[in-house]
């Protein structure tokens, strides 16, 4: 199914449905009930996190700052927390600065409520200034595509186009694929099963589309599922929909190893570790397996093959000052 969705996106297909009309009707009815419970409109506006992280490191190496771009929806923007340092962009920028031992300039153009068709605007905004083009970008997108019934082929086409544009200007790209909407507390059966199925199918198709454009993916999936079941009040924010600071830190810990690896910073080889169920598989199979297991990285190898890796997560490196220092461009 994931291959069909991705192929339809690549070749202009748009009629591939994920579920039947009756199931879609049920899905929409229960989504409205779930929205009343989760209070999606009550989350605070994401704090702006743009700026320099790791400023004390600027005189340490003499190297210019790495430029990190964040794109996507409310998860990428950090909706649900009140401090800039708690957003995923800030967490990743701080962690990247600590590992690279050089400052990182974060520009976050993610938009709460965005679907994949907003990525074109976001990429344009990020690339508007040729002197500040990013070295690496993280995209988190897909949840709103599911809840707003955007055709999966259309969703993947927009994502693949964004990855292609970023790769064309030399930026590395890491995509956090569609999260498992079946883990949200107020979502009940049969919507929970349907949400999980649709989310995973879209995540797998996103992986295929991203890898074919030269990017890497990290499956967010049900990353917060086990922790949420054990202690939901710590991992979800006050609206019971967006992650809390602890939830965003959990997601950032999964993405940071791949972010560092794509820049050649992570002290871990790309050799496959059979003890960790790592393998080289056809892209579609790797995408399906990654969608079923959160935290799994997929990167292109040779031809139709991809590497499936489970990088070791480590605690996020901390900096003395986790809040951003505005740059001259931000002050202007």
């Amino acid at each position: 199914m994931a291959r069909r969705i991705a192929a339809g996106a690549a070749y202009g297909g748009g009629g591939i449905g994920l579920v039947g009309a009756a199931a879609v009707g049920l899905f929409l009815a229960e989504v409205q009930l779930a929205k009343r419970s989760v209070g999606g409109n009550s989350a605070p506006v994401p704090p702006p996190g743009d700026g320099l992280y790791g400023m004390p490191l600027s005189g340490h190496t003499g190297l210019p700052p790495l430029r990190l771009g964040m794109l996507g929806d409310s998860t990428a923007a950090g909706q649900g927390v009140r401090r800039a340092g708690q957003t995923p962009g800030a967490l990743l920028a701080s962690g990247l600065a600590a590992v690279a031992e050089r400052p990182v300039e974060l520009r976050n153009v993610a938009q709460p409520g965005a679907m994949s068709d907003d990525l074109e605007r976001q990429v344009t905004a990020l690339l508007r200034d040729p002197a500040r083009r990013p070295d690496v970008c993280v995209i988190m997108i897909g949840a709103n595509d599911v809840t707003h019934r955007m055709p999966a082929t259309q969703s993947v086409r927009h994502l693949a186009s964004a990855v292609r544009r970023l790769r064309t200007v030399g930026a590395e790209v890491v995509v956090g694929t569609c999260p498992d909407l079946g883990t949200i507390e107020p979502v009940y059966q049969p919507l929970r099963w349907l949400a999980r199925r649709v989310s995973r199918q879209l995540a797998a198709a996103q992986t295929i589309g991203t890898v074919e454009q030269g990017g890497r993916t990290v499956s967010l999936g049900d990353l917060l599922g086990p922790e949420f079941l054990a202690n939901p009040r710590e991992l979800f924010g006050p609206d019971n929909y967006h992650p809390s600071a602890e939830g965003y830190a959990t997601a950032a810990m999964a993405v940071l190893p791949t972010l560092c690896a794509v820049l050649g910073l992570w002290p871990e080889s790309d050799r496959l570790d059979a003890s960790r169920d790592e393998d080289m598989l056809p892209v579609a199979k790797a995408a399906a397996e990654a969608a079923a297991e959160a935290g799994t990285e997929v990167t292109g190898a040779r031809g139709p093959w991809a590497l499936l890796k489970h990088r070791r997560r480590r605690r996020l490196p901390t900096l003395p000052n986790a809040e951003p220092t505005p740059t001259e461009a931000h002050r202007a």
Side-chain angles (χ1 to χ4, degrees):
M1 175 67 79
R3 168 58 70 185
R4 288 175 59 205
I5 293 169
Y11 298 108
I16 303 175
L18 290 174
V19 291
V24 168
L26 174 63
F27 179 83
L28 291 178
E30 294 205 16
V31 161
Q32 298 307 315
L33 293 175
K35 282 182 177 179
R36 295 174 191 171
S37 299
V38 301
N41 295 324
S42 63
V45 175
D50 289 13
L52 282 173
Y53 292 79
M55 272 298 288
L57 301 171
S58 58
H60 182 63
T61 62
L63 295 173
L66 284 169
R67 294 191 176 95
L68 169 64
M70 287 290 297
L71 308 91
D73 53 24
S74 57
T75 303
Q79 189 165 3
V81 297
R82 299 184 182 278
R83 289 175 45 211
Q86 297 173 326
T87 62
L91 293 169
L92 291 172
S94 296
L96 186 58
V99 174
E101 297 186 339
R102 60 190 286 194
V104 173
E105 180 186 357
L106 171 66
R107 292 181 62 203
N108 195 331
V109 295
Q111 178 65 43
M115 294 186 287
S116 293
D117 57 2
D118 191 53
L119 288 175
E120 181 179 3
R121 181 195 63 80
Q122 295 182 26
V123 171
T124 298
L126 197 61
L127 302 182
R128 184 170 291 121
D129 184 354
R132 300 176 63 211
R133 285 179 174 171
D135 298 300
V136 63
C137 293
V138 175
I139 303 174
M140 296 180 177
I141 199 82
N144 295 317
D145 295 22
V146 173
T147 59
H148 289 75
R149 287 200 302 160
M150 174 179 283
T153 50
Q154 182 179 339
S155 175
V156 175
R157 191 180 306 124
H158 287 302
L159 175 60
S161 175
V163 174
R164 182 168 58 251
R165 287 182 64 191
L166 293 169
R167 293 291 293 134
T168 298
V169 300
E172 300 290 349
V173 181
V174 177
V175 174
T177 56
C178 181
D180 183 353
L181 298 182
T183 62
I184 300 171
E185 186 183 37
V187 176
Y188 303 106
Q189 297 291 10
L191 177 59
R192 183 182 296 274
W193 173 86
L194 186 59
R196 173 166 289 118
R197 178 173 180 262
V198 175
S199 300
R200 288 185 176 181
Q201 287 178 349
L202 178 57
Q206 287 177 320
T207 292
I208 295 171
T210 298
V211 168
E212 290 181 344
Q213 298 301 325
R216 299 192 190 194
T217 63
V218 177
S219 169
L220 298 182
D222 60 351
L223 191 63
L224 303 181
E227 294 92 340
F228 172 69
L229 291 175
N231 205 342
R233 291 297 162 258
E234 285 191 6
L235 283 203
F236 275 68
D239 64 352
N240 293 331
Y241 185 82
H242 294 96
S244 65
E246 290 81 4
Y248 280 127
T250 299
M253 279 193 292
V255 174
L256 182 61
T258 299
L259 188 62
C260 293
V262 80
L263 292 171
L265 301 171
W266 204 249
E268 187 176 0
S269 73
D270 279 334
R271 288 182 300 176
L272 298 175
D273 186 345
S275 68
R276 296 176 61 80
D277 295 324
E278 297 182 343
D279 204 351
M280 182 179 288
L281 301 168
V283 174
K285 184 171 177 57
E289 293 202 10
E293 184 171 354
T296 304
E297 174 191 313
V298 179
T299 182
R302 300 185 298 272
W305 298 86
L307 297 176
L308 187 78
K309 293 187 67 68
H310 300 102
R311 295 189 182 274
R312 289 181 173 84
R313 290 185 227 163
R314 308 178 188 183
R315 293 193 65 83
L316 292 172
T318 56
L319 295 173
N321 179 17
E323 297 297 316
T325 300
T327 64
E328 291 301 321
H330 298 133
R331 293 190 184 99

